[in-house]
Structure formats: structure tokens, C-alpha cells
């Protein structure tokens, strides 16, 4: 008779432990001295990119960003990069700023930025940034980005893409 292998063999436990530690190292939570950026969702609505899938969730994102665009010009104007930032501030009694800085392919090392101010942050906050229209078509795709959560000039938390330096 062949020996019966347990579901909890040492190799499987080691593999599970390595997988969990790798996933923990890849999380997108960025803690700071007074807040955290918990997640950054990214979507690129590119020209001529049509995703063919049976999964309705995948098609929803494209349809969501194109909702209301009737003409070809309106559809082209909505092409670009969309970022959704999930963040928290520990002290919710004072206003905070969320600054999205980015570089684009056709502008070299020039750093552009967009900024949102939240006068009364909640327990969990969501902010949206987009680079679309003439900025996207003229200056190219986003090559690197950084998001910073600020109170005054004090940085509470930040997160950046791999290529940001």
C-alpha cells in the first residue's frame, strides 16, 4: 500500500506561508504619520482598445466612463487614465489635501499635478483623478505617478508607482 498524504504536509504549509508573506509584501497600504492610503485603483480607457469578455464586470468599467458620450468627439475626449484613491486620515477635525502628481510619456521628466481639498474628511474617503482629453492625447500616457495626503505642508501618507523616483 502507498502511504496516504495528508492535506497538511510540511511542503504545503511552507508553500502557504511563503504565499501569504509574498501577498503581505505586495499590499498597497501606505501608512504615514497621520493617515494612510489604502488602495489605488487604476483604469486606462485607451483608443481602439476593445475588451471582449463574457464577464459583465469587465465591460462595466468601460461603459461607466463612456456613459453619456454620444458623439465620436465625446468618446475620444473621455479616453485617458482614471485613478480612484481610497484613503484615511487619523485626525478628521482638520482639512486635508490629496495631491496626485504624474509624468507623461511626451513631457519627459516634467511633473504635473492635480489637487483635491477635503474640508471634513470622513472615516473612509474616496477621491478620483483623471487625465483625459487634450492632456492625454497631447502629452501621452502616464508613465509614473505619486499620491500624497497632506495637512498643510505635513505629509500624512504617500504612495507611488514603481517607476516614480
Amino acid at each position: 500500500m502507498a502511504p496516504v498524504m495528508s492535506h497538511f504536509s510540511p511542503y504545503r504549509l511552507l508553500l502557504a506561508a511563503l504565499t501569504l508573506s509574498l501577498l503581505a509584501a505586495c499590499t498597497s497600504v501606505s501608512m504615514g504619520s497621520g493617515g494612510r492610503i489604502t488602495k489605488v485603483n487604476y483604469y486606462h480607457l485607451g483608443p481602439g482598445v476593445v475588451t471582449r469578455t463574457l464577464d459583465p464586470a469587465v465591460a462595466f468599467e468601460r461603459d461607466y466612463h463612456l456613459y453619456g458620450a454620444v458623439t465620436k468627439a465625446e468618446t475620444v475626449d473621455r479616453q485617458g487614465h482614471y485613478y480612484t484613491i481610497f484613503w484615511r486620515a487619523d485626525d478628521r477635525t482638520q482639512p486635508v489635501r490629496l495631491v496626485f502628481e504624474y509624468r507623461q510619456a511626451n513631457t519627459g521628466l516634467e511633473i504635473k499635478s492635480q489637487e483635491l481639498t477635503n474640508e471634513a474628511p470622513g472615516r473612509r474617503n474616496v477621491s478620483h483623478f483623471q487625465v483625459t482629453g487634450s492632456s492625454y492625447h497631447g502629452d501621452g500616457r502616464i508613465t509614473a505617478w505619486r499620491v500624497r495626503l497632506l495637512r498643510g505642508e505635513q505629509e500624512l501618507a504617500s504612495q507611488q508607482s514603481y517607476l516614480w523616483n
Side-chain angles (χ1 to χ4, degrees), residues 14-55:
L14 179 63
L15 181 61
L18 287 173
T19 302
L20 286 175
S21 64
L22 180 62
L23 288 175
C26 294
T27 59
S28 62
V29 174
S30 172
M31 307 253 327
S33 62
R36 71 189 119 199
I37 296 172
T38 55
K39 188 195 284 190
V40 176
N41 282 348
Y42 159 77
Y43 182 74
H44 179 219
L45 181 60
V49 177
V50 178
T51 305
R52 300 187 191 281
T53 179
L54 296 176
D55 186 1

Side-chain angles (χ1 to χ4, degrees), residues 3-160:
V4 176
M5 293 296 292
S6 168
H7 287 278
F8 300 104
S9 69
Y11 297 110
R12 284 189 181 189
L13 288 175
L14 179 63
L15 181 61
L18 287 173
T19 302
L20 286 175
S21 64
L22 180 62
L23 288 175
C26 294
T27 59
S28 62
V29 174
S30 172
M31 307 253 327
S33 62
R36 71 189 119 199
I37 296 172
T38 55
K39 188 195 284 190
V40 176
N41 282 348
Y42 159 77
Y43 182 74
H44 179 219
L45 181 60
V49 177
V50 178
T51 305
R52 300 187 191 281
T53 179
L54 296 176
D55 186 1
V58 175
F60 171 80
E61 189 82 21
R62 179 177 176 83
D63 294 343
Y64 173 76
H65 293 297
L66 290 176
Y67 181 78
V70 178
T71 66
K72 175 82 169 158
E74 290 173 333
T75 302
V76 169
D77 196 44
R78 294 186 185 192
Q79 293 174 349
H81 297 272
Y82 294 85
Y83 292 84
T84 303
I85 317 298
F86 298 86
W87 57 275
R88 296 178 183 186
D90 294 341
D91 179 11
R92 298 189 312 267
T93 61
Q94 300 175 19
V96 294
R97 292 181 299 136
L98 196 65
V99 178
F100 177 67
E101 299 171 313
Y102 56 96
R103 293 188 185 108
Q104 290 179 272
N106 298 343
T107 60
L109 295 177
E110 176 187 350
I111 297 175
K112 296 183 178 187
S113 70
Q114 296 179 19
E115 184 175 314
L116 294 173
T117 301
N118 191 323
E119 295 294 330
R123 186 175 302 259
R124 294 186 175 124
N125 304 279
V126 180
S127 298
H128 303 277
F129 294 99
Q130 65 185 47
V131 178
T132 57
S134 60
S135 177
Y136 170 72
H137 291 291
D139 295 337
R141 62 184 176 79
I142 292 180
T143 57
W145 56 267
R146 174 174 63 176
V147 178
R148 299 185 311 148
L149 181 63
L150 303 170
R151 176 169 291 121
E153 295 303 314
Q154 178 190 9
E155 185 173 287
L156 304 177
S158 71
Q159 187 168 335
Q160 63 193 33

